[in-house]
Amino acid sequence: MMEKTQEEQQSSPQMAAPDGGWGWVVVGSLFMSSALVFGLIRSLGVFFVEFVQYFGESAQAVSWIASIGLAMQQLMSPIGAAASNVYGTRPVVMMGGFLSGLGFILASQATSLVHLYLTMGLISGLGWALVFTPTVASVMQYFTVRRSLAMGLGFTGVGLASFAFSPLFQYLVEVYAWRGALLVLGGLSFNMIACGALIRPLGKPKVVLKTENLTKLNKCSSLLSRIFESFELSLLSHRGFLTYAVAITFFNAGYFIPYIHLVAHSRHIGFTEYQAAFVISVTGVVDIMGRVASGWFSDLGKIRMPHMLVVWTGLLGLSLMIIPVAVVYSGLIVISVVYGFCAGAMTPLAFAVVPEIVGIGRVLGALGLLQLIESVGGLLGAPLSGWLKDCTGTYTLSFIAAGSFLVLGMLVTMTLPYFWSCTAPPPPSPSKRMSQDGSIEDGLLKQTLSSNSVPESLCPLDDTPYSDKELKVCWKSDVTCPVQERDEIPQEMMHHTNSGEIL
Amino acid sequence: MDLFLTNSSFALHKTLIERLELCGLLEVCFADWATISWNTGQNQVIIEELAILTPQYIELLCNLIDIPNNPPYITGYWTKDGQEIENSEETVNRNNEQYIIKRTFSIQARDLGNYSCMFRENEAQVTFVLVVPVIKDKRDKPVVSYTGDSVVLECKLKHTPNTWNWYKANNTEKGLINVTANPLNYKIFINGNETKLTVLNLTEEDSGKYICSAEFDIKPSESYVELKVLSYTEPLKPFIAIVVEVIVLVTLILLWEKCNKPDGANVFSSTRDESNGVQNNTARQRKLEH
């Protein structure tokens, strides 16, 4: 008993979210990582022009490089999450940074387009997957009260990087040609290794913890079970998770369509190149502001996070559908401002909602799986919008389709469990508990446990993180738990940002 | 003030240009015309560019409208490159509130230039710029490549020349690039109005100015591209610098953490100070457990 108590005692301070202090350093690490992953991807257009000229291939063939990279980043996310569950986030992120840089360094030696697919696409894409999801999950672990703000601030890296990287890459290509520029970019990507080094672990990785707990009981440590645990496959039977996965897939399908088509649409209806570029710049700036503002506002706790998410996605969908209506330049600017703000506002929330649905302990695996599932939306959305444009000749239908995807996702979000209640749901916890835990916390957590109707995880004994969290929640202000939980729950999904950033 | 190029006049303009290209040596081609509108106090200078491919006769026409007071006649003359052409002055009679002046020019290679119709009574003028087709999309930044790599230089035009030639400029001299003499180093691809020069097995000496020349009957049209060949050590310098920086950073971060690590209590108490109730919770939790 004493042993167990001591272990809990030892693990509790480690699992407690500092909500400040070193957490802000981790936010800075997220800032750099998101800049070097998505900011970099967004600015690769400069290279594509060079590749078209050098290899003599079509623009479409060259654009596959980015598509493969992004697809890898999303598809390999569960692997990043699983590796972090087993080895801890720090080594995984550092390895991811190394792989990203390696991909670009090898790409600088490419002699055919296929080489670029393999290096910039596969290798760097895998590196990005290993960097991004664990970094986001780490920020979420470091913050509870100010989670949304931390996420919003961390993601501003993408917007700022897209501004800074475009001219920088242009300069690098002019001075060093694309080979040299790719080499330098590989070096820049190595900075993500330093970002990974900054992520001090808050506790032992989940699977390690579990294996330690299990040594006393049955040897549940067969490989299959470990894999099951590290990938959080138990989430696939979790109704809230599945609902949200569907919603996010719809969001992803519609979110980035405007990013591809806004410039072309502006030129199509007769504005000049500079006017169109200005529209995009304005959208980008407002996007950054929207992220921070939404994160800050959501942390105030006035409105529940899923409700805010619904508000922003609804507004975003509507503004997308209105874009084709704007024929005057000032009208287009206004609509783009609204669109940019809502798109930015939605991003941190889309990630921060995840711990509310699945609990902070499973957030790593949840993020990985969500990215994998939402990539379907991304892969469908772009070709669909392109096909609509080819069929009808204008972008009107594409924008309307994008807006309706978002509205559809919003409707699906409304079917989340606990959506229609005024207070946040209790954090999901398995009903099976170790006896020692129960004795200590029963009195405090009775209310929590009884109101919990979220299906528990299939593998028993992933209690410890949850129990600590709930305990923390109840103690927080000495009032009844449900009121407190409202502040704890909201978390945000990285997936949205990923898909958005992609473009 | 009337806009000079309305849609209808533009269409006419385009048709005339097409006719121009079909013209041969001794035909008079009705090449271009411009309508200028003159309102009180407004000057209007219009510039029209015409691409000339072969030596020919060209008729240029200026039509002046909206003159205040509608005088019965005005005096117009032609200039080439700013110099008045001798005996080109003529008196133009009013015709339905329009004043039309036109002249036929014989254009050979030396006659290319800026032709303007001007009027003594007011400042309105139209300038016709007669040139060989200009290669427009020229890169003003040098093309960069690496030793051992290959590079493609290209030139494009709107009109199709008789042939294309590539030269390498050494100081003031131009040396023709002969593919048959150097098949291992050069490849030239010609396809109508575009051409590509591929330079293989680059060395540092291949740096310099490359001139593509579009040969027309009247005169060749040239454009140049500058090539810079770098060795691989060039980008390696910033790369090594960044890698060193990353290694230093990572070492510092890990070392700093190691130095702070033995103070487990320190970490705990510091976090307690900084954050809100969370740490208080854990502290109280400990008390409870005890």
Side-chain angles (χ1 to χ4, degrees):
Chain A
M1 179 124 169
M2 280 309 295
E3 225 176 280
K4 199 60 204 123
T5 316
Q6 264 172 4
E7 186 196 305
E8 277 179 77
Q9 185 178 321
Q10 179 204 4
S11 58
S12 337
Q14 287 173 321
M15 285 307 294
D19 247 300
W22 193 256
W24 294 116
V25 177
V26 183
V27 170
S29 163
L30 175 64
F31 181 91
M32 280 299 297
S33 296
S34 57
L36 284 172
V37 173
F38 292 106
L40 192 130
I41 295 177
R42 277 192 189 172
S43 313
L44 280 183
V46 173
F47 286 96
F48 292 163
V49 174
E50 298 292 317
F51 291 153
V52 167
Q53 211 198 21
Y54 184 85
F55 293 107
E57 301 272 355
S58 71
Q60 200 189 20
V62 166
S63 71
W64 268 106
I65 299 176
S67 305
I68 293 180
L70 281 171
M72 282 297 287
Q73 191 270 320
Q74 290 191 309
L75 294 177
M76 296 289 143
S77 274
I79 299 202
S84 301
N85 269 332
V86 174
Y87 298 110
T89 49
R90 175 182 270 172
V92 172
V93 175
M94 289 174 79
M95 172 54 94
F98 176 74
L99 279 178
S100 320
L102 185 68
F104 275 77
I105 294 171
L106 291 177
S108 72
Q109 306 295 316
T111 53
S112 80
L113 205 53
V114 176
H115 292 171
L116 289 179
Y117 292 158
L118 291 177
T119 53
M120 276 172 83
L122 289 186
I123 301 182
S124 292
L126 177 60
W128 294 328
L130 292 181
V131 163
F132 200 61
T133 308
T135 309
V136 170
S138 301
V139 170
M140 290 211 229
Q141 283 165 354
Y142 263 90
F143 286 87
T144 48
V145 174
R146 286 188 270 182
R147 218 170 245 157
S148 308
L149 181 62
M151 302 292 282
L153 285 175
F155 289 148
T156 54
V158 183
L160 294 175
S162 353
F163 281 134
F165 280 175
S166 289
L168 175 68
F169 290 5
Q170 185 71 42
Y171 171 75
L172 283 176
V173 168
E174 273 170 19
V175 174
Y176 294 116
W178 63 266
R179 289 189 192 271
L182 280 181
L183 191 64
V184 174
L185 277 196
L188 275 181
S189 294
F190 277 161
N191 280 308
M192 289 197 276
I193 304 180
C195 292
L198 282 174
I199 304 178
R200 284 192 198 160
L202 274 178
K204 299 226 188 103
K206 198 162 145 219
V207 171
V208 172
L209 262 178
K210 221 165 290 260
T211 351
E212 281 173 7
N213 290 345
L214 293 180
T215 44
K216 301 217 171 22
L217 311 171
N218 48 345
K219 237 357 180 160
C220 181
S221 60
S222 64
L223 190 61
L224 216 55
S225 161
R226 273 186 72 143
I227 291 180
F228 190 80
E229 263 310 305
S230 52
F231 279 93
E232 292 296 356
L233 291 177
S234 52
L235 283 171
L236 292 177
S237 62
H238 187 288
R239 182 190 143 217
F241 175 80
L242 286 176
T243 316
Y244 193 64
V246 171
I248 267 212
T249 309
F250 282 130
F251 289 154
N252 206 12
Y255 183 103
F256 61 83
I257 290 178
Y259 258 109
I260 329 178
H261 289 318
L262 200 53
V263 175
H265 172 69
S266 313
R267 309 284 322 279
H268 189 80
I269 53 182
F271 298 130
T272 67
E273 263 179 16
Y274 289 112
Q275 284 175 318
F278 183 68
V279 167
I280 294 288
S281 300
V282 161
T283 312
V285 169
V286 173
D287 182 288
I288 296 176
M289 287 162 39
R291 280 167 208 233
V292 180
S294 156
W296 168 80
F297 182 73
S298 140
D299 279 334
L300 293 180
K302 303 250 185 314
I303 309 183
R304 269 190 68 207
M305 206 172 283
H307 299 157
M308 291 250 40
L309 183 64
V310 157
V311 164
W312 292 124
T313 47
L315 278 178
L316 184 62
L318 286 176
S319 66
L320 278 182
M321 297 207 242
I322 297 181
I323 284 186
V325 171
V327 285
V328 183
Y329 189 58
S330 50
L332 186 63
I333 291 277
V334 166
I335 295 285
S336 298
V337 164
V338 172
Y339 154 70
F341 193 82
C342 293
M346 178 187 119
T347 306
L349 289 182
F351 282 92
V353 156
V354 172
E356 172 167 345
I357 301 173
V358 302
I360 188 66
R362 299 204 276 182
V363 94
L364 199 45
L367 287 180
L369 286 174
L370 275 170
Q371 295 218 30
L372 174 63
I373 297 175
E374 74 172 358
S375 65
V376 173
L379 288 172
L380 288 183
L384 176 69
S385 73
W387 176 75
L388 280 174
K389 194 263 168 183
D390 288 338
C391 272
T392 62
T394 67
Y395 292 98
T396 311
L397 264 191
S398 298
F399 282 114
I400 294 186
S404 38
F405 273 130
L406 279 159
V407 171
L408 207 53
M410 176 190 91
L411 293 174
V412 172
T413 313
M414 294 214 240
T415 65
L416 274 176
Y418 294 106
F419 183 82
W420 296 102
S421 65
C422 282
T423 57
S429 55
S431 56
K432 255 203 209 170
R433 298 187 156 272
M434 310 228 347
S435 51
Q436 295 91 338
D437 295 350
S439 62
I440 294 168
E441 300 148 357
D442 252 345
L444 304 160
L445 298 177
K446 219 175 249 180
Q447 220 162 349
T448 316
L449 289 175
S450 59
S451 56
N452 175 37
S453 65
V454 177
E456 54 260 39
S457 75
L458 296 182
C459 185
L461 302 176
D462 68 346
D463 304 352
T464 328
Y466 295 152
S467 60
D468 288 336
K469 185 174 189 297
E470 282 150 14
L471 185 63
K472 190 172 54 192
V473 167
C474 288
W475 273 116
K476 198 166 152 73
S477 70
D478 272 355
V479 284
T480 53
C481 298
V483 175
Q484 282 314 296
E485 285 151 38
R486 182 188 349 162
D487 294 326
E488 294 286 355
I489 308 301
Q491 308 261 357
E492 317 217 319
M493 285 296 278
M494 294 300 293
H495 293 295
H496 274 310
T497 317
N498 282 348
S499 38
E501 322 279 323
I502 289 178
L503 299 184
Chain B
M1 185 194 310
D2 266 350
L3 239 199
F4 153 59
L5 275 178
T6 59
N7 279 344
S8 53
S9 64
F10 219 154
L12 189 52
H13 175 95
K14 287 270 190 278
T15 328
L16 293 171
I17 292 298
E18 279 160 45
R19 282 182 54 193
L20 177 67
E21 289 187 304
L22 297 172
C23 289
L25 184 55
L26 295 174
E27 263 178 64
V28 175
C29 287
F30 192 37
D32 200 1
W33 69 323
T35 301
I36 342 161
S37 161
W38 165 255
N39 277 334
T40 319
Q42 305 283 344
N43 292 342
Q44 196 156 5
V45 175
I46 297 157
I47 301 185
E48 278 283 300
E49 196 171 290
L50 285 180
I52 315 289
L53 308 181
T54 59
Q56 60 195 287
Y57 288 95
I58 296 208
E59 180 177 73
L60 300 173
L61 182 150
C62 295
N63 180 2
L64 195 58
I65 65 176
D66 275 355
I67 305 267
N69 306 325
N70 275 333
Y73 61 85
I74 61 171
T75 321
Y77 62 97
W78 293 89
T79 65
K80 176 181 189 291
D81 295 332
Q83 304 275 335
E84 181 170 341
I85 299 173
E86 289 190 13
N87 305 327
S88 65
E89 184 168 317
E90 64 181 86
T91 306
V92 184
N93 293 322
R94 186 179 69 205
N95 183 6
N96 283 345
E97 303 198 3
Q98 290 179 343
Y99 303 83
I100 299 180
I101 178 175
K102 62 185 178 184
R103 187 181 172 88
T104 306
F105 298 90
S106 158
I107 304 294
Q108 305 276 339
R110 62 172 186 271
D111 299 316
L112 292 170
N114 298 346
Y115 289 84
S116 304
C117 63
M118 307 187 69
F119 300 90
R120 301 259 181 242
E121 286 81 4
N122 59 51
E123 315 269 325
Q125 78 176 53
V126 179
T127 304
F128 299 94
V129 180
L130 270 51
V131 279
V132 279
V134 173
I135 300 173
K136 288 253 165 71
D137 51 341
K138 180 170 66 102
R139 282 172 81 137
D140 46 355
K141 299 267 163 73
V143 175
V144 179
S145 192
Y146 290 94
T147 56
D149 200 359
S150 66
V151 72
V152 175
L153 307 171
E154 71 173 327
C155 286
K156 253 202 292 213
L157 264 188
K158 272 200 222 135
H159 308 265
T160 304
N162 301 335
T163 184
W164 288 92
N165 281 328
W166 282 93
Y167 300 90
K168 181 155 193 311
N170 290 327
N171 297 332
T172 47
E173 286 184 0
K174 267 188 346 189
L176 179 65
I177 295 178
N178 193 340
V179 178
T180 44
N182 291 337
L184 290 176
N185 288 336
Y186 298 106
K187 275 200 215 142
I188 295 185
F189 165 78
I190 297 180
N191 181 19
N193 64 342
E194 69 175 339
T195 179
K196 291 190 189 162
L197 169 71
T198 308
V199 188
L200 306 163
N201 291 333
L202 284 170
T203 60
E204 302 248 329
E205 291 98 44
D206 286 323
S207 302
K209 213 191 237 189
Y210 286 81
I211 301 174
C212 65
S213 172
E215 311 286 348
F216 290 101
D217 285 335
I218 190 165
K219 203 170 108 157
S221 169
E222 288 187 349
S223 168
Y224 70 91
V225 165
E226 197 170 326
L227 177 67
K228 245 169 53 164
V229 180
L230 303 174
S231 76
Y232 264 109
T233 56
E234 288 286 327
L236 221 49
K237 293 180 207 153
F239 174 73
I240 300 273
I242 298 178
V243 170
V244 165
E245 167 243 329
V246 168
I247 294 178
V248 165
L249 267 182
V250 171
T251 320
L252 280 179
I253 293 171
L254 292 177
L255 270 182
W256 187 42
E257 184 169 327
K258 233 194 177 107
C259 290
N260 288 341
K261 205 179 184 181
D263 275 349
N266 251 2
V267 171
F268 184 66
S269 57
S270 63
T271 51
R272 188 197 304 178
D273 293 336
E274 286 160 296
S275 319
N276 38 18
V278 173
Q279 280 63 29
N280 290 336
N281 302 340
T282 45
R284 283 154 104 179
Q285 173 192 341
R286 280 169 77 202
K287 278 195 203 150
L288 182 68
E289 285 165 7
H290 286 301

